[in-house]
Amino acid sequence: MAGGSLRVRTGGGGSAVALVFTHYWGGSAGTWDEVVRRLPREQTTVRFDQRGWGTSRALPGPYHLDRLADDLIRVAGECVAGPFVLVGHSMGGKVAQLAAARRPSGLAGLVLVAPAPPSPAAAVTEEYRQGLSHAYDSPESVGHALDHVLTSVTLPQDTRDAVVRDSLAAPDDARTEWPLRGIAQDITAQARDIEVPVAVLAGEHDAVEPPSVLRECLLPFVPHASMTVVPGAGHLLPLEAPGAVADAVRRFVAAVPVRT
């Protein structure tokens, strides 16, 4: 137990650099299961359900990005003794940017997986955000989002079922915080303060954060960032292309400079 009532899942324990994962809007610690399974057995990993989601859904708000970044830094501080890399997906990528900008002790790098960019894209209008706030209203609406927005690859049925469960496992105020406010928050000033190496993974067919949006709204504002496009994948890269994500994370950890 760390970060108050945040339930943390750890694995490995023999690596020099730990990985601390943070999930997307609607996800959970389980979003990373297939990525972690493909990492070396000794790789130290830390995963948790963010405040308001899954096993952390009973935690009180507010659920804004700065509070989520507080939680992420606390989990890393309590669960990792040495250097670590933050791995954030979508909303979790924006949370990880805020956390990295604070330069916590031990931070060695940042992997952003289909991340929400620090500068909101032009498409993130009030109308868009209002519509997005209803994407997880019901199993049917989640299924529609999966089929028409979130994925380019057909997910196994058990994975799809888990996504639906995760997407519905939040109180209303936690569920709507991201689409109504967080997605539109401009954090470019904070992103410019990131000092560590940054790897960005983008899905070739991502309809949420296309590579073109990340080139325009993220790369100019995040120092030391480089981007790789994953062929054939959509927005849910940890579920659609876990092998590609694991390979990219493994290469990044092997190359990241670690201060001793």
Side-chain angles (χ1 to χ4, degrees), residues 21-45:
F21 295 87
T22 183
H23 63 76
Y24 74 106
W25 175 62
S28 71
T31 300
W32 299 103
D33 283 354
E34 289 303 309
V35 174
V36 170
R37 191 171 68 83
R38 288 166 169 80
L39 294 172
R41 291 173 61 89
E42 68 274 12
Q43 176 63 59
T44 302
T45 60

Side-chain angles (χ1 to χ4, degrees), residues 6-19:
L6 293 168
R7 184 164 299 174
V8 174
R9 296 165 58 182
T10 60
S15 61
V17 178
L19 298 172

Side-chain angles (χ1 to χ4, degrees), residues 13-102:
S15 61
V17 178
L19 298 172
V20 182
F21 295 87
T22 183
H23 63 76
Y24 74 106
W25 175 62
S28 71
T31 300
W32 299 103
D33 283 354
E34 289 303 309
V35 174
V36 170
R37 191 171 68 83
R38 288 166 169 80
L39 294 172
R41 291 173 61 89
E42 68 274 12
Q43 176 63 59
T44 302
T45 60
V46 179
R47 293 173 282 160
F48 65 103
D49 295 346
Q50 293 190 79
R51 180 178 297 270
W53 293 94
T55 60
S56 302
R57 60 184 174 275
L59 268 66
Y63 303 101
H64 55 65
L65 293 177
D66 286 299
R67 184 75 178 277
L68 300 184
D70 291 342
D71 289 340
L72 177 55
I73 290 172
R74 183 178 174 187
V75 167
E78 292 186 1
C79 296
V80 179
F84 63 93
V85 168
L86 296 178
V87 186
H89 176 217
S90 193
M91 178 187 79
K94 199 166 185 177
V95 172
Q97 291 167 61
L98 281 174
R102 300 183 194 175

